[in-house]
Amino acid sequence: MRDTSGTRTSSKRADSRFSRLSIVFALSASALLSVVGPAHAAPAKDPLPADIPDYQAALNAVKSADVRNAVCRFLSTPVPSGGTGGPVQTIPETAEPCRGLPAFTIKDPLALNEITPGFVAGTSQPLPTEAVKLTQLVSSLNTTVNGRNATVMLAPTQGGGWHLAAVRDGDSDAAYAAKATVGTLVFTEPQIRGWYQLKLTTVEPLNDQARQGLGGQASVSLSDYQKLVKARYADKLPGSEYDTKGYSSGYSPQHKADDASSSIPLIAGGSGAALVLAGGAAVLRRRRRASIC
């Protein structure tokens, strides 16, 4: 009888090596996607979205009547013309703000990740979990409404959950956020509106602004990308001379809309228009876009 013990042993070793490689790959993907720490898993999809804390609360928010009505008010309101000194336009409240608009749905929210101040300052290691952080969620519409699309932006609520932060013209934020796949991470450098994809520790540009941000290179290491953003923004962080002397608002990954209360949503258009609910009345005005850098 032929001795097959050597073959069995070799097969077991191969199985063991394959198992370890699978575990390493899974842990690497988990490290990339878990930039926000422990989270409730999102409903199963293909590909699975990055884990988002309180994801069910985010789903409930974008499906709520309040958010839908806010989107309808935004889409029903013409963007005001003129500069920052233009007149304030009061928008009458209506019981059914969606009446007369074509039917639409708001898609499930996606993660909007941004580079962190620590990564920019060079005080954090060039690691995926240190370089980027989940700051907001974005949801686009399933169709255009009267030739316009819109993006719903959710901000984290203190104590847990999510609330409406803004509604913006267009759907580019959600379109780029949707490019994330299992094992990769999509993030933005908001100062230049650059969008990037992170594959393990390699940064690749997704739009022209990002390509310019990388100096025309097709990809760079996360370490080299850190050097680039440090050179661009490190001297403009909050508390810097650039910031304290009022040259800008200082570097911050958080959007101004994040400051809005969950009960007073700010609805901001990409053109600089803002619809604010103040004292029960909605007013539409032009606003100067704050310069971060």
Side-chain angles (χ1 to χ4, degrees):
M1 180 181 295
R2 185 177 59 181
D3 185 2
T4 60
S5 60
T7 302
R8 289 196 300 271
T9 301
S10 179
S11 176
K12 289 180 180 179
R13 288 176 179 171
D15 291 343
S16 178
R17 284 196 298 271
F18 178 79
S19 178
R20 288 197 298 271
L21 286 172
S22 299
I23 292 171
V24 169
F25 178 81
L27 290 176
S28 297
S30 177
L32 284 172
L33 298 174
S34 301
V35 298
V36 294
H40 298 295
K45 290 183 180 181
D46 186 18
L48 289 171
D51 286 345
I52 295 172
D54 299 322
Y55 191 76
Q56 186 59 51
L59 284 172
N60 294 341
V62 298
K63 304 302 181 185
S64 69
D66 287 344
V67 168
R68 184 177 182 81
N69 287 341
V71 173
C72 290
R73 287 197 297 273
F74 178 79
L75 294 172
S76 299
T77 306
V79 176
S81 59
T84 54
V88 172
Q89 176 185 351
T90 301
I91 302 170
E93 286 288 337
T94 57
E96 298 181 51
C98 297
R99 174 179 289 182
L101 289 178
F104 67 89
T105 59
I106 303 173
K107 296 180 182 179
D108 292 351
L110 302 168
L112 192 157
N113 300 294
E114 298 181 3
I115 52 176
T116 66
F119 179 73
V120 171
T123 56
S124 298
Q125 294 295 316
L127 300 171
T129 52
E130 299 289 331
V132 297
K133 179 181 180 181
L134 175 68
T135 58
Q136 290 186 323
L137 304 181
V138 290
S139 304
S140 60
L141 308 185
N142 71 319
T143 186
T144 57
V145 177
N146 294 341
R148 293 173 66 186
N149 209 319
T151 295
V152 173
M153 308 194 75
L154 302 180
T157 301
Q158 187 174 5
W162 298 87
H163 64 268
L164 177 64
V167 179
R168 291 182 173 176
D169 271 317
D171 62 353
S172 60
D173 285 348
Y176 283 118
K179 292 181 179 295
T181 60
V182 174
T184 70
L185 189 68
V186 168
F187 68 94
T188 180
E189 182 184 333
Q191 291 70 28
I192 63 171
R193 296 292 295 164
W195 284 90
Y196 305 85
Q197 188 170 47
L198 180 61
K199 297 179 179 179
L200 294 179
T201 57
T202 299
V203 177
E204 299 179 356
L206 293 177
N207 63 358
D208 289 340
Q209 294 92 324
R211 279 183 280 275
Q212 293 172 8
L214 298 185
Q217 300 180 82
S219 66
V220 299
S221 68
L222 188 57
S223 178
D224 285 342
Y225 176 67
Q226 183 177 34
K227 295 174 183 176
L228 291 172
V229 295
K230 183 178 180 180
R232 283 200 280 270
Y233 312 121
D235 61 345
K236 301 174 180 65
L237 291 164
S240 66
E241 183 179 8
Y242 188 88
D243 176 31
T244 56
K245 287 190 174 181
Y247 295 122
S248 78
S249 59
Y251 174 89
S252 173
Q254 300 293 333
H255 296 284
K256 293 300 179 183
D258 289 4
D259 297 333
S261 163
S262 59
S263 61
I264 308 178
L266 169 66
I267 306 177
S271 62
L275 177 63
V276 183
L277 304 182
V283 295
L284 185 67
R285 66 173 184 265
R286 295 284 293 185
R287 67 173 183 169
R288 180 176 61 84
R289 175 172 290 181
S291 174
I292 293 179
C293 295

